[in-house]
Every structure is written in structure tokens, then in C-alpha cells.
Amino acid sequence: MSGIQSPMQWDMLTQQEPSDADSDAVGRNLRVNQSRFAAHSAAQPGEGSQQASGISPNVSTARTDDELGSKLHRDQGKLVWAMFGSSWCHHCHELFPSVYEISKKFPKNDFVVAQMDYMDAAVQGIRYTPTFRLYRKGRRLDEFIGTDAQRVEDHVWLWSDSDAQH
């Protein structure tokens, strides 16, 4: 399983221009990833929830308070897991592939990778990264911190309506 190995890759995931993009290779890599996101969303016409910030049908990214807010209120019945991380958080980069695999096991849940570097209101009270918050109908139900993938999966399983695909 490949993981996000550098802040550069985290920025590419969230479609943010890297702050130290002084090499042509980094710029090319960023453009390739952005075009993949755009191609993925274009390949899914008719799905209004699948935007260029979509990684998979139930995993997306948010870079601002407004983007996160719209994702939290998009589907009133779904559980939405927000993983708050940052471009400088090595643990966030290492944990993302596991969160992505967990999202496949729980397709009735939505997962949002929230880059807290660009948020104000949504990140109030967050002291550590990664921090996970669970929402339903825009209301926060649970919060925990940590880098243990099994703990993340256990939390998702406990809150889910037995929708895991085994």
C-alpha cells in the first residue's frame, strides 16, 4: 500500500500549490494529480456530490470552512468522518492510506480529509493532528485523536449501521 510520504504529496492531495515548488518535477507532478482529480470527477456525470476534490465516491477533501460545511450538510442521514490534518503532519500522511482502505469497508459513511491549515472555525479546539471528528446532519457526535489505524476502524465500526463489506 503506497502512502503519502511528504508534505508535497499532502498538498497535491488537497490540490494546494506547494509553498516551495522550486523544481519543475514537483510542478509537473502537481499538474498530473490535479488533472487526475478533474478526470475522475468528469467521468462521473450526474453525481453532484462528486467534485474535483473527490478521491473516491465516499472520500473527498476540504480546504476551507465553507467546503467542509457543505460536505457535512450534503447528505443529512450519512455519518461523515472528518480527518483533520496538515501539510506538515507526517502522521497524517502515514495514516491516510489506512483511512482510505477503511472507507472502502464502510461505503455508507462519508470521509473528508480536511486540511486545517486553511480553516478557522472548523478547527476550533483541535490541538493535535490527526484529529477525527464524526458528524451527522452537521452536528458533531464524536472526536478522537491518534494514528492507530485499528482504533480508527473500531470507531467507524462502532458508529456504523452494520454496513461493513466483508
Side-chain angles (χ1 to χ4, degrees), residues 69-86:
S70 70
K71 292 170 195 290
L72 297 180
H73 293 91
R74 179 175 53 206
D75 189 346
Q76 293 296 315
K78 276 192 169 184
L79 292 173
V80 180
W81 293 91
M83 175 184 164
F84 290 90
S86 183

Side-chain angles (χ1 to χ4, degrees), residues 130-155:
T131 293
F132 291 85
R133 287 183 173 172
L134 170 65
Y135 298 87
R136 179 177 274 159
K137 298 181 181 179
R139 197 178 104 222
R140 187 169 62 194
L141 304 175
D142 192 11
E143 178 177 320
F144 64 97
I145 60 171
T147 59
D148 181 15
Q150 185 61 54
R151 183 173 181 216
V152 174
E153 186 169 352
D154 290 348
H155 268 268

Side-chain angles (χ1 to χ4, degrees), residues 12-66:
M12 284 183 261
L13 172 68
T14 58
Q15 299 180 4
Q16 174 63 32
E17 286 290 333
S19 58
D20 59 342
D22 50 310
S23 82
D24 290 337
V26 171
R28 280 192 306 275
N29 200 5
L30 178 62
R31 286 188 294 281
V32 166
N33 280 307
Q34 286 176 330
S35 66
R36 284 182 187 157
F37 286 133
H40 179 70
S41 65
Q44 308 257 341
E47 288 203 21
S49 64
Q50 188 67 25
Q51 301 171 357
S53 63
I55 298 169
S56 74
N58 67 329
V59 181
S60 60
T61 62
R63 288 182 32 216
T64 65
D65 290 325
D66 291 338

Side-chain angles (χ1 to χ4, degrees), residues 64-137:
T64 65
D65 290 325
D66 291 338
E67 285 178 6
L68 181 61
S70 70
K71 292 170 195 290
L72 297 180
H73 293 91
R74 179 175 53 206
D75 189 346
Q76 293 296 315
K78 276 192 169 184
L79 292 173
V80 180
W81 293 91
M83 175 184 164
F84 290 90
S86 183
S87 61
W88 48 262
C89 176
H90 183 70
H91 298 295
C92 301
H93 305 173
E94 290 178 342
L95 188 59
F96 176 76
S98 298
V99 172
Y100 180 73
E101 291 302 315
I102 292 167
S103 76
K104 292 178 184 178
K105 294 179 183 179
F106 297 91
K108 292 182 184 175
N109 288 257
D110 279 344
F111 295 81
V112 178
V113 179
Q115 183 158 3
M116 60 187 283
D117 296 334
Y118 306 101
M119 296 182 180
D120 291 319
V123 297
Q124 295 298 316
I126 293 179
R127 295 174 36 181
Y128 305 100
T129 58
T131 293
F132 291 85
R133 287 183 173 172
L134 170 65
Y135 298 87
R136 179 177 274 159
K137 298 181 181 179

